């Protein structure tokens, strides 16, 4: 027996190694990685918590189950006899018993391991429970600080469920053993049991009832998250019916537990059964039937008067949970009093209107600047830089290595040679080069850039699409960048990566990545380094899995280096009375700014919102993880943005929760919504992803959803009443199911006002055109509609970009780019700019001329400005050699009207030639000739 037991134990250990060996290897190599990035304390804190919880859960479960097994088998088996056939009779019991006896410890051990793993998964809940931070606000029903619900209640509920399951499992195992041992028999004549069965099983049932009584107490707190009423949270019925019923059920369950425990050691069971019956009856009637009747017969006919205080709670707590309390509302006249001098005074705003949408610009980057097939541009980010002393908005994208596009996917190429991307491209948001292509401030390989955009360390070892691992500092030549017909090679000089070391480590890495070449390749030396967790989001989530990271890290050029900045959020779904968002919760803060060095892979976490109790709790748990925002490099700090994800969530919630009067809220008298972008095909779906949990977070739709809502957009502008331009994020509102504008909301991004939310309300009695109305007017404008039709008939795809609403002074300017994409070219070309103001809509070749036409001036309205909105031709356009540029014609200020006419005829002639409309081409040339003759005569 001893040898057989040892064999079984050894077999069990081998199975554990087979099942958990991979986890152990990943555990050790992760530890090495945490050492490399400098966050060993984070790894050890989580490991300690998981280890203690696993041990406590596994040992406690094993002991409790084993104790019940011993109790069930503490007496010699005496079979209970009944008249008739025993329906619990087990045939071949004698042959089965040795097998059951041998497997029972392993079965209990397996259950204990599962329980230990379940407990270890609660490590975050336990650490939050032990380090709560007060919110300073109490709920209106139980007068407890919000911290109790956020930090403590989740763990208490988990313990309650675990205790109930474990006691139930003990009762089931014990009952099965009693049946197997023949200590319980049943036949048509009745049921008989060994004297020890009743006290044992009823003790377990009594304990379960005591736990259930505690569960009713916890269920009372769940009323704060009830969806029963007209507003989220405890309603009239919950407070006046369900809560008293839960109190009664708690008392009855506790009394039932006492009667059941006593009945286990006394004859008879009718008293206990009666009390349990009363508990079940109250549970069924009080839990479902009575609340439903009260809701329909009493509350529904008097809903507003009865629910009003609870609606008020919902409004107050929702606004606090989404940080809407500090939104400042102002009036905006939406006047139509703009003059050319106003435009000149707001030149920085006009020069930073974004004419390039993300998707067409990304396509242009891919076609013009990928240089080689193995490079890829994944995303386009928006940021601001000081360029030649001016505050300018730019769009930039990293040139990353695409391992899917490598011409030869050999292991050496993927892991040793092609290790990194190279550089970035940067374009101003409003400049149009020859033939409608983007202008470049930074381009080519090596990247060209000046001032704040100069890149001295262009290598990208850590990015958005980097492969899972590469080796650097090897004997193999590491590709750096292409230079004409040859390649330039390099050796990694950074501090990133885990040292490979000796054979043991190489073996572990080979097993982890399931790659034999790691073990056999001669180019890898002990001093080589392996870079893994190279994707930015993955890297961040491994270090801080308790944070939710924005789906879109953005590239920053700072002091010649490339960095990735990513916003991190603290979330919970346990904020009382706060309206939840499916998949996200009902509380959000952008509490952390994370920075990843694209070359070294170093990761830094900076606390951006020290008032958030959640991040303060995590700071207590991981004191070495976070740094104050003031410690971020000053140049990097200039590029902090208010995250679009958070702003969009807050905007959609504010669309409903700007109504603070309960009666107005109940009647939904003034619900807003974000208008749809009905024409722009450059929009993205109305979904935001919180990558930390790999889930999609649909944004709240207070009114019936309309597809492809406008996205918030960044703009540099001077807010009403301010003295200088700043980088803001903006989104408009329309009334629900209406098309006119009702308000616009902005988030300020520059210090000292970073994070300040403003809402500008339009006069209710005045019609202010919304995006849908402007788009409809564009389609109805005769000349514009004719041009669009002709382009489409000529085989070109006409792509109208996102419509931007730009507040200037106390007026609104509408701007929309128009792209043409021919069948012969995959590159969308920015050919026209539509602009609208008041009742007038124009379409010209660039924004400057659209503004001139819009405001009826004979020369461009920004002619007096030192910097023009559209750029002069650069050397990059020399090969295109446009016959006559708009700037050259605009310089003829002595005869502005005739010069403008000549330019218009020239443009129309070129468009006719593009459409092969040679009759129209000839007619426009004649008109051009006549205009030039008149111009010559006047000179």
């Amino acid at each position: 027996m001893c040898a057989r037991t040892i064999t079984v134990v050894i077999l069990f250990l081998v199975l554990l190694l087979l099942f958990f060996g991979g986890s152990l290897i990943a555990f050790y190599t992760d530890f090495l990685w945490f050492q490399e990035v400098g966050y060993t304390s984070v790894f050890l804190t989580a490991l300690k918590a998981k280890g203690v919880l696993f041990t406590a859960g596994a040992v406690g479960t094993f002991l409790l189950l084993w104790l019940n097994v011993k109790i069930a088998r503490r007496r010699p088996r005496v079979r209970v006899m009944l008249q008739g056939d025993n329906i619990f009779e087990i045939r071949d019991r004698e042959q089965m018993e040795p097998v059951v006896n041998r497997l029972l410890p392993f079965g209990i051990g397996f259950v204990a391991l599962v329980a230990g793993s379940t407990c270890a998964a609660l490590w975050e809940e336990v650490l939050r429970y032990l380090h709560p931070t007060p919110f300073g606000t109490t709920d209106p029903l139980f007068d407890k600080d919000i911290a109790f619900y956020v930090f403590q209640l989740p763990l208490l509920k988990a313990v309650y469920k675990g205790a109930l399951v474990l006691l139930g499992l003990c009762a089931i195992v014990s009952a099965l053993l009693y049946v197997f041992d023949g200590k319980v028999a049943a036949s048509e004549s009745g049921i008989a049991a060994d004297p020890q069965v009743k006290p044992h099983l009823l003790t377990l049932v009594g304990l379960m009832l005591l736990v259930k009584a505690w569960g009713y107490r916890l269920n009372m707190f769940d009323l704060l998250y009830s969806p029963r009423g007209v507003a989220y949270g405890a309603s009239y019925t919950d407070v006046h019916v369900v809560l008293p019923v839960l109190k009664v059920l708690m008392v009855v369950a506790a009394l039932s537990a006492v009667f059941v425990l006593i009945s286990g050691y006394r004859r008879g069971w009718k008293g206990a059964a009666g009390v349990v019956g009363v508990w079940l009856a109250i549970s069924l009637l009080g839990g479902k039937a009575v609340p439903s009747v009260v809701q329909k017969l009493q509350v529904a006919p008097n809903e507003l008067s009865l629910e009003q205080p609870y609606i008020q709670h919902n409004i107050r707590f929702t606004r606090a949970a989404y940080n809407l309390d500090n939104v400042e509302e102002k009036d905006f006249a939406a006047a139509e009093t703009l003059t050319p001098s106003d435009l000149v005074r707001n030149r920085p705003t006009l020069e930073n209107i974004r004419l390039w949408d993300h998707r067409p610009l990304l396509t242009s980057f891919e076609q013009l600047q990928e240089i080689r097939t193995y490079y890829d541009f994944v995303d386009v980010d928006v940021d601001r830089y000081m360029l030649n002393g001016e505050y300018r908005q730019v769009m930039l994208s990293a040139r990353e290595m695409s391992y899917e596009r490598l011409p030869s996917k050999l292991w050496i190429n993927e892991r040793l040679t092609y290790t990194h991307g190279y550089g970035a491209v940067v374009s101003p948001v409003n400049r149009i080069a020859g033939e409608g292509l983007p202008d470049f401030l930074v381009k080519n390989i090596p990247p060209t850039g000046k001032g704040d955009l100069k890149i001295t360390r262009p290598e990208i070892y850590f990015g958005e699409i980097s492969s899972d691992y590469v080796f650097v500092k090897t004997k193999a030549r590491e590709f750096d960048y292409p230079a004409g017909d040859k390649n330039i090679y390099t050796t990694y000089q950074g501090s990133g990566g885990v040292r490979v070391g000796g054979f043991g480590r190489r073996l572990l890495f080979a097993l982890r990545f399931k790659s034999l070449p790691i073990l056999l390749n001669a180019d890898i030396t002990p001093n080589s380094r392996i870079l893994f967790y190279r994707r930015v989001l993955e890297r961040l989530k491994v270090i801080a899995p308790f944070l939710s990271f924005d789906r879109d890290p953005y590239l920053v050029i700072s002091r010649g280096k490339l960095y990735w900045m990513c916003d991190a959020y603290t979330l919970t779904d346990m904020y009382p009375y706060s309206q939840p968002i499916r998949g996200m919760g009902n509380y959000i803060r952008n509490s952390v700014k994370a920075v990843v060095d694209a070359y070294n892979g170093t990761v830094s976490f900076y606390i951006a919102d020290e008032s958030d109790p959640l991040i303060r709790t995590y700071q207590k748990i991981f004191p070495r993880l976070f740094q104050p925002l003031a410690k971020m490099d000053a140049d990097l700090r200039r590029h902090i943005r208010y995250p679009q994800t958070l702003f969009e969530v807050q905007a959609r919630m504010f669309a409903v929760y700007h109504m603070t009067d309960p009666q107005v809220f109940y009647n939904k008298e003034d619900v807003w919504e974000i208008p749809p972008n009905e024409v722009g095909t450059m929009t993205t779906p109305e979904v935001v992803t919180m990558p930390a949990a790999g889930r999609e977070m649909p944004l709240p739709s207070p009114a019936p959803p309309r597809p492809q809502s406008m996205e918030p957009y960044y703009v540099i502008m001077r807010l009403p009443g301010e003295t200088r331009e700043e980088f803001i994020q903006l989104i408009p509102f329309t009334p629900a199911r209406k098309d006119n504008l009702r308000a616009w909301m902005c988030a300020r991004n520059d210090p000292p006002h970073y994070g300040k939310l403003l809402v500008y309300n339009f006069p209710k009695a005045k019609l202010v055109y919304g995006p849908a109305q402007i788009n409809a007017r564009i389609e109805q404008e005769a000349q514009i509609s004719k041009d669009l039709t002709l382009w489409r008939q000529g085989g070109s795809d006409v792509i109208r970009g996102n419509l931007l609403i730009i507040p200037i002074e106390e007026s609104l300017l509408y701007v929309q780019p128009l792209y043409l994409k021919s069948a012969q070219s995959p590159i969308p070309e920015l050919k026209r700019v539509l602009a609208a103001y008041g009742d007038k809509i124009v379409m010209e070749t660039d924004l400057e001329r659209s503004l001139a036409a819009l405001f009826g001036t004979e020369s461009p309205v920004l002619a007096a400005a030192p910097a023009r909105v559209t750029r002069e031709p650069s050397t990059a356009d020399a090969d295109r050699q446009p016959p006559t540029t708009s700037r050259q014609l605009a310089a003829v200020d002595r005869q502005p009207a005739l010069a403008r006419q000549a330019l218009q005829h020239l443009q129309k002639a070129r468009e006719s030639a593009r459409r092969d409309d040679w009759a129209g081409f000839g007619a426009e040339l004649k008109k051009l000739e006549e205009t030039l003759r008149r111009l010559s005569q006047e000179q």
Side-chain angles (χ1 to χ4, degrees):
M1 286 294 294
C2 184
R4 185 180 299 174
T5 302
I6 292 174
T7 302
V8 172
V9 170
I10 293 175
L11 179 61
F12 183 70
L13 293 175
V14 170
L15 291 174
L16 284 179
L17 185 61
L18 289 175
F19 281 107
F20 299 104
S23 299
L24 293 175
I25 293 171
F27 166 80
Y28 179 69
T29 51
D30 276 351
F31 175 71
L32 297 176
W33 182 82
F34 270 90
Q35 282 185 319
E36 180 256 319
V37 295
Y39 291 113
T40 310
S41 61
V42 176
F43 181 87
L44 293 178
T45 298
L47 176 64
K48 180 180 177 181
K50 292 176 184 178
V52 170
L53 290 171
F54 178 87
T55 303
V59 172
T61 300
F62 186 90
L63 291 177
L64 188 59
L65 285 171
W66 191 254
L67 176 64
N68 279 275
V69 169
K70 286 297 184 182
I71 292 174
R73 294 191 148 185
R74 64 181 173 180
R75 292 183 183 178
R77 190 176 71 219
V78 178
R79 295 184 63 184
V80 177
M81 304 300 293
L82 275 177
Q83 186 176 1
D85 295 332
N86 182 8
I87 60 176
F88 292 150
E89 181 68 27
I90 299 177
R91 298 181 180 180
D92 302 323
R93 180 187 286 110
E94 300 298 332
Q95 289 79 9
M96 295 173 59
E97 186 169 7
V99 177
V100 170
N101 292 339
R102 283 197 297 269
L103 293 179
L104 192 58
F106 293 104
I108 295 175
F110 176 78
V111 173
L113 290 176
V114 173
S117 299
T118 303
C119 292
L122 297 172
W123 68 275
E124 290 183 41
E125 286 81 356
V126 171
L127 291 178
R128 286 198 296 261
Y129 182 93
L130 296 174
H131 301 87
T133 300
F135 278 69
T137 302
T138 58
D139 76 277
L141 191 56
F142 301 104
D143 198 32
K144 288 183 174 291
D145 192 280
I146 304 299
F148 168 77
Y149 303 99
V150 173
F151 299 118
Q152 297 179 318
L153 185 58
L155 180 63
L156 296 177
K157 293 170 69 175
V159 171
Y160 158 70
K161 293 177 181 177
L164 205 59
V165 169
L166 185 56
L167 288 171
L169 189 60
C170 289
I172 292 172
V173 171
S174 300
L176 291 175
L177 287 176
Y178 283 131
V179 171
F180 180 79
D181 290 340
K183 294 181 179 180
V184 176
S187 67
E188 295 179 357
S189 60
I191 299 176
D194 187 272
Q196 76 173 38
V197 174
K198 181 182 176 183
H200 182 195
L201 295 183
L202 288 186
T203 297
L204 291 173
V205 172
L207 292 175
M208 291 176 66
L209 286 171
L210 282 176
V211 172
K212 186 63 180 175
W214 180 46
Y216 284 125
R217 175 56 180 168
L218 298 180
N219 289 345
M220 296 179 195
F221 300 125
D222 284 340
L223 294 179
L224 295 171
Y225 315 98
S226 170
R228 185 191 305 274
V230 294
Y232 189 80
S235 64
Y236 178 89
T237 302
D238 293 317
V239 173
H240 293 85
V241 178
V242 179
L243 182 59
V245 168
L246 288 174
K247 291 179 179 179
V248 172
L249 286 172
M250 180 179 67
V251 174
V252 173
L255 291 176
S256 299
V258 173
F259 272 89
V260 169
L261 289 171
I262 294 174
S263 298
Y265 298 91
R266 299 180 62 180
R267 290 187 176 184
W269 50 269
K270 292 184 179 180
V275 176
V276 171
V278 171
W279 164 62
L280 291 174
I282 296 176
S283 178
L284 292 174
L285 292 175
K288 300 291 183 183
V290 175
S292 179
V293 171
V294 171
Q295 183 71 27
K296 291 180 179 179
L297 299 184
Q298 182 179 356
V299 176
N302 308 282
E303 197 166 50
L304 177 58
S305 60
L306 295 180
E307 297 284 13
Q308 186 163 338
Y310 308 106
I311 295 174
Q312 186 64 58
H313 296 329
N314 171 260
I315 294 172
R316 181 164 67 93
F317 281 86
T318 298
R319 288 174 62 93
Y322 292 95
N323 206 18
L324 301 178
D325 282 338
N326 297 322
V327 174
E328 183 179 354
E329 296 192 56
K330 298 183 177 182
D331 292 329
F332 192 86
E336 297 179 8
T337 57
L338 277 183
T339 64
S341 60
D342 291 329
L343 299 182
V344 173
R345 189 166 53 254
N346 288 273
R347 179 177 63 86
T349 297
L350 299 175
E351 289 184 332
N352 286 283
I353 293 176
R354 179 169 59 83
L355 301 181
W356 286 101
D357 286 346
H358 290 77
R359 292 189 185 179
L361 186 62
L362 182 61
T363 301
S364 298
F365 283 174
E366 291 170 346
Q367 296 297 321
L368 301 175
Q369 282 292 308
E370 280 184 354
I371 310 297
R372 293 291 188 271
T373 58
Y374 41 76
Y375 287 126
D376 192 12
F377 294 102
V378 180
D379 190 19
V380 178
D381 300 314
V382 178
D383 205 350
R384 71 283 199 198
Y385 290 82
M386 291 299 296
L387 303 178
N388 299 322
E390 294 189 342
Y391 202 36
R392 301 305 296 267
Q393 185 177 189
V394 301
M395 304 181 80
L396 65 166
S397 183
R399 185 185 290 107
E400 298 198 51
M401 180 66 66
S402 174
Y403 293 88
E404 297 295 326
R405 300 183 183 179
L406 286 177
S408 178
K409 295 186 178 181
L410 299 175
W411 185 89
I412 291 178
N413 283 345
E414 292 183 330
R415 307 304 178 185
L416 303 184
T417 304
Y418 294 94
T419 57
H420 58 276
Y422 201 86
V425 293
V426 182
S427 290
V429 296
N430 68 320
R431 290 186 183 175
I432 308 170
E435 301 301 323
L437 300 177
D439 188 20
F440 291 102
L441 298 171
V442 178
K443 61 181 179 179
N444 297 338
I445 296 178
T448 59
K450 298 179 181 179
D452 286 357
L453 295 178
K454 184 177 181 180
I455 302 175
T456 57
R457 178 59 76 184
E459 298 90 347
I460 301 174
Y461 285 87
F462 303 87
E464 294 188 86
I465 60 169
S466 302
S467 63
D468 50 354
Y469 72 95
V470 295
F471 288 89
V472 295
K473 295 186 178 181
T474 66
K475 295 178 182 179
R477 294 199 303 172
E478 185 182 343
F479 172 77
D480 198 20
Y481 63 89
D485 296 332
K486 63 179 182 178
N487 293 331
I488 304 300
Y489 295 89
T490 187
T491 299
Y492 181 67
Q493 301 297 322
S495 59
V498 177
R499 186 173 176 271
V500 173
F503 177 80
R505 281 196 181 183
R506 287 184 69 164
L507 176 61
L508 291 176
F509 286 125
L511 291 173
R512 171 174 181 145
F513 296 108
K514 299 178 177 63
S515 177
L516 187 60
I518 293 178
L519 197 62
L520 303 178
N521 186 274
D523 292 325
I524 300 174
T525 70
N527 291 322
S528 298
R529 290 180 171 270
I530 179 172
L531 309 180
F532 57 105
Y533 292 135
R534 298 176 63 213
R535 296 184 183 93
V536 173
L537 289 177
E538 179 186 36
R539 197 171 185 84
L540 295 173
K541 286 187 279 186
V542 170
I543 297 173
F546 42 84
L547 297 176
S548 292
F549 292 94
D550 198 278
R551 62 174 178 173
D552 184 24
Y554 59 97
L555 189 70
V556 173
I557 302 171
S558 177
R559 305 188 192 279
K561 297 187 64 177
L562 299 177
Y563 296 89
W564 296 98
M565 296 191 84
C566 188
D567 292 288
Y569 309 97
T570 48
L571 308 173
T572 182
D573 59 357
M574 297 299 294
Y575 202 94
Y577 273 108
S578 174
Q579 178 68 37
I581 296 174
R582 179 171 55 87
M584 189 204 82
N586 62 1
Y587 173 95
I588 182 172
R589 290 291 187 275
N590 173 218
S591 299
V592 174
K593 305 288 185 180
V595 179
V596 179
D597 188 317
Y599 186 72
N600 293 312
T602 53
V603 182
S604 301
F605 296 89
Y606 300 95
I607 295 181
D609 185 357
E610 295 185 353
S611 65
D612 174 32
L614 276 167
I615 201 61
R616 287 162 60 192
T617 285
Y618 286 127
Q619 192 174 20
K620 296 175 187 176
I621 299 170
F622 305 105
R624 298 182 182 178
L625 176 60
F626 302 104
Q627 304 177 59
L629 190 61
K631 288 192 174 182
M632 181 187 289
D633 179 83
D635 190 63
L636 277 176
R637 204 159 58 240
R638 290 166 50 196
H639 297 281
I640 288 176
R641 304 185 319 192
Y642 198 80
Q644 181 176 325
T645 297
L646 175 61
F647 183 59
E648 193 165 0
V649 167
Q650 290 177 311
R652 292 184 181 275
M653 296 306 294
F654 191 81
V656 173
Y657 285 91
H658 69 277
M659 299 180 292
T660 56
D661 182 271
Q663 183 168 349
V664 175
F665 184 93
Y666 175 81
N667 292 321
K668 302 189 185 302
E669 296 177 14
D670 193 22
V671 175
W672 300 347
E673 64 182 9
I674 296 174
N677 197 338
E678 297 178 349
V679 175
T681 60
M682 300 297 147
T683 57
T684 55
E686 191 175 319
V687 167
V688 173
T689 302
M690 304 304 289
R695 62 194 182 200
E696 291 186 348
M697 184 183 68
L699 298 172
S701 300
R706 300 168 72 175
Q708 295 192 342
S709 295
M710 289 185 66
E711 292 182 324
Y713 49 92
Y714 293 99
V715 64
I716 290 178
M717 62 170 285
R718 181 163 50 86
L719 291 169
E722 298 293 333
T723 58
R724 66 178 182 87
E725 284 74 21
E726 56 186 290
F727 191 55
I728 69 166
Q729 192 173 180
L730 184 149
I731 193 72
F733 293 111
T734 62
R737 295 176 295 277
K738 301 289 184 181
D739 291 328
N740 59 289
L741 287 183
R742 180 62 183 84
W744 61 277
M745 185 179 192
C746 72
R748 305 175 79 170
N749 287 263
D750 293 341
H753 304 295
Y754 172 83
K756 178 66 176 177
L757 298 180
L758 298 171
V759 171
Y760 291 87
N761 295 301
F762 298 124
K764 289 186 177 182
K766 183 175 184 178
L767 171 63
V768 181
Y769 291 121
Q773 293 169 324
I774 294 293
N775 283 325
R777 290 177 56 205
I778 289 173
E779 293 289 346
Q780 294 167 3
E781 207 282 334
Q783 185 59 46
I784 295 177
S785 178
K786 179 180 177 182
D787 290 342
L788 296 179
T789 302
L790 289 174
W791 279 320
R792 289 163 181 155
Q793 290 175 348
S796 295
D797 290 335
V798 179
I799 305 171
R800 285 169 57 187
N802 292 328
L803 178 68
L804 303 182
I805 302 172
I806 310 298
I808 299 179
E809 301 291 339
E810 288 288 332
S811 302
L812 293 180
L813 178 68
Y814 304 83
V815 176
Q816 184 180 57
L818 187 144
Y819 310 90
L820 293 183
K821 184 177 179 182
S822 68
Q824 292 76 27
S825 173
I827 306 177
E829 298 178 358
L830 204 167
K831 289 300 187 182
R832 294 289 186 273
V833 176
L834 296 130
Y837 174 72
D839 294 325
K840 191 173 183 180
I841 294 177
V842 299
M843 182 176 71
E844 296 292 341
T845 55
D846 54 54
L847 178 60
E848 186 172 344
R849 300 214 164 272
S850 292
L851 294 176
L854 197 62
F855 289 91
T857 60
E858 295 183 345
S859 60
V861 294
L862 298 183
R868 302 292 295 271
V869 176
T870 53
R871 71 175 185 87
E872 295 180 356
S874 67
T875 57
D877 303 319
D879 57 332
R880 300 190 183 96
Q881 297 181 351
T884 307
T885 66
S886 61
R887 186 171 294 274
Q888 289 169 331
L889 289 178
V892 189
D893 289 331
R894 290 164 297 180
Q895 295 86 21
L898 291 175
R900 179 168 177 76
Q901 290 179 20
L903 176 63
Q904 291 174 344
H905 291 313
L906 175 61
Q907 291 169 342
K908 291 180 179 180
R910 296 168 76 178
E911 291 299 332
S912 297
R914 283 179 177 273
R915 299 193 301 268
D916 293 333
D917 180 11
W918 302 112
F921 178 78
E924 292 298 334
L925 280 184
K926 288 182 180 180
K927 294 178 182 178
L928 175 62
E929 181 181 2
E930 177 62 27
T931 303
L932 291 175
R933 184 179 295 109
R934 291 170 56 195
L935 182 61
S936 176
Q937 291 173 354
E938 292 193 11
Q939 288 179 339

